[in-house]
Amino acid sequence: MAAEGRFERLGRNERAVMRLVRDAGPCSRTAAAAELGLSATTITKTVAPLLARGYLTEHDTGGGAGVGRPAIPLAAVPEAVTVCGVQLGVGAAAIGLADGRARVRLERSMALDPSLDAPAVLDRVAAAVARILARDGGAPCIAVGVAAPGPVDPGRRTNLMSVNLGWRDVPVAELLEAKLGIPVHVDHNVRTMALAETLYGGHDVRDLAYVYVRTGVGLGLVLDRRPFYPGLHGLSELGHLRAVEDGAACACGARGCLETVLSEPHLLGRARDAGLLDGGGADARGVLTVVESAAGSGSQAALAIRADVVRHLSDALASVVNLFNPRRIVLGGIFEAAPEPLLADIRAATKRVVFPFLREEFRIDRPAVPSPGVAGGAALALEAVLYGSP
């Protein structure tokens, strides 16, 4: 059962008004009533508590010289809202506070012992969230959104399975709510990134795919500005498409999955084996830059790694385009800082293998939203309690 925190989800009409002002910008009560199909009386009753909470404000623009009282636009006040976004990863978590447009204003990272079980991990996460909230001087936190690897149940409460974390049927929301007393919602990490990128990344598209490459290869889809939940468990496992026949064993139990040839650990291992990195630690986000530099200097090993990256990723992206036809594909994780020549070759290779009719219908971009995991969790929380349709 959800926690009885300090905030209850806004009503249908209130969420509709908040969503309209967020997406369309300031508008008068008359315009809002017409757009939403509500009467003048209903819109007045709907707007009043939103003004009282400070979520909306009225901007009197002076009105000019026209006859009668001019319409006063309603405008959103994102700073009046605080939500907490949490990104769970292997041996780490990121926690941040964001406003009503999922803009992260405060973020903390924490290392976690990978051998800890799920309740112990979530205990530490809850304590970290409580510390951040205690130090924050902003608006009270109205919800927590957790971006977790793996599928979740339809109620956005339980992480059903995370191969890389070794979790199964973990009641994430229940465990965190018991510690925090704030409503908690959980969803697949890359789907929340896609949600934040679609709503707050300035792409002006309704259909977007987010591909996130780190420990695994994750895919999140937003279609018609709504998170896409396919099939029984809402799962889109791009990283477990077979990329190599009879390839290396994957953590999922299959062989030759895309994760085994494109993930951060695989690329770091190949770069070290080729002598492109020293024996010490290396910034995983920089491995593609190292490979690109060595390839430019003529290293045959680096050229082979680069060619495999382009081939495997472009084939995977082409599958996404052919199946879902998103107008925008966002490459995150280690590809967020990838050298531009490498991205240009990935774009070109993807277009070559996409169905011809779709080749000019999409773009491949870097993320526009900073701190994607935390912002994704924040976007999830905002949709759950402030903006989302029923």
Side-chain angles (χ1 to χ4, degrees), residues 33-55:
E35 178 68 25
L36 300 175
L38 301 176
S39 69
T41 300
T42 300
I43 204 72
T44 296
K45 290 181 178 179
T46 300
V47 166
L50 299 176
L51 291 169
R53 289 177 183 267
Y55 294 165

Side-chain angles (χ1 to χ4, degrees), residues 287-297 302 306 339-343 345:
V287 66
L288 295 174
T289 299
V290 171
V291 169
E292 184 74 8
S293 176
S297 299
R306 188 185 192 279
E340 187 56 37
L342 177 61
L343 288 183
D345 284 356

Side-chain angles (χ1 to χ4, degrees), residues 154-361:
R156 317 289 176 260
R157 311 270 310 155
T158 298
N159 181 219
L160 299 175
M161 182 180 186
S162 175
V163 171
N164 292 322
L165 287 177
W167 291 6
R168 194 174 186 94
D169 296 324
V170 177
V172 175
E174 179 182 335
L175 292 172
L176 289 178
E177 284 177 351
K179 299 285 184 180
L180 297 171
I182 302 171
V184 177
H185 306 270
V186 59
D187 202 355
H188 180 252
N189 54 357
V190 190
R191 185 159 45 225
T192 72
M193 296 176 195
L195 179 65
E197 197 74 29
T198 303
L199 297 178
Y200 307 109
H203 296 289
D204 193 26
V205 296
R206 301 189 68 82
D207 306 299
L208 181 144
Y210 200 115
V211 176
Y212 186 78
V213 181
R214 290 299 301 268
T215 304
V217 180
L219 170 66
L221 290 161
V222 171
L223 304 180
D224 196 24
R225 290 179 68 84
R226 293 172 179 262
F228 180 55
Y229 296 93
L232 183 61
H233 298 298
L235 200 56
S236 300
E237 283 293 348
L238 183 67
H240 297 288
L241 293 180
R242 178 167 292 180
V244 179
E245 193 70 26
D246 297 324
C250 179
C252 73
R255 303 189 71 86
C257 293
L258 184 63
E259 287 191 2
T260 67
V261 295
L262 195 63
S263 66
E264 160 193 308
H266 169 78
L267 294 176
L268 281 170
R270 281 192 70 179
R272 289 196 182 101
D273 290 346
L276 304 180
L277 298 172
D278 60 34
D283 182 0
R285 289 175 181 265
V287 66
L288 295 174
T289 299
V290 171
V291 169
E292 184 74 8
S293 176
S297 299
S299 165
Q300 293 302 304
L303 286 167
I305 295 171
R306 188 185 192 279
D308 284 346
V309 167
V310 171
R311 175 168 59 91
H312 291 308
L313 184 54
S314 63
D315 284 349
L317 297 182
S319 295
V320 173
V321 174
N322 286 338
L323 288 171
F324 301 104
N325 194 20
R327 296 295 302 277
R328 193 76 80 249
I329 298 175
V330 175
L331 290 182
I334 63 173
F335 284 90
E336 186 174 344
E340 187 56 37
L342 177 61
L343 288 183
D345 284 356
I346 291 168
R347 293 182 182 110
T350 303
K351 285 197 172 186
R352 283 196 299 270
V353 292
V354 161
F355 183 67
F357 183 72
L358 303 177
R359 285 177 185 164
E360 303 306 320
E361 299 295 318

Side-chain angles (χ1 to χ4, degrees), residues 365-377:
D365 289 329
R366 302 175 194 269
V369 175
S371 305
V374 171

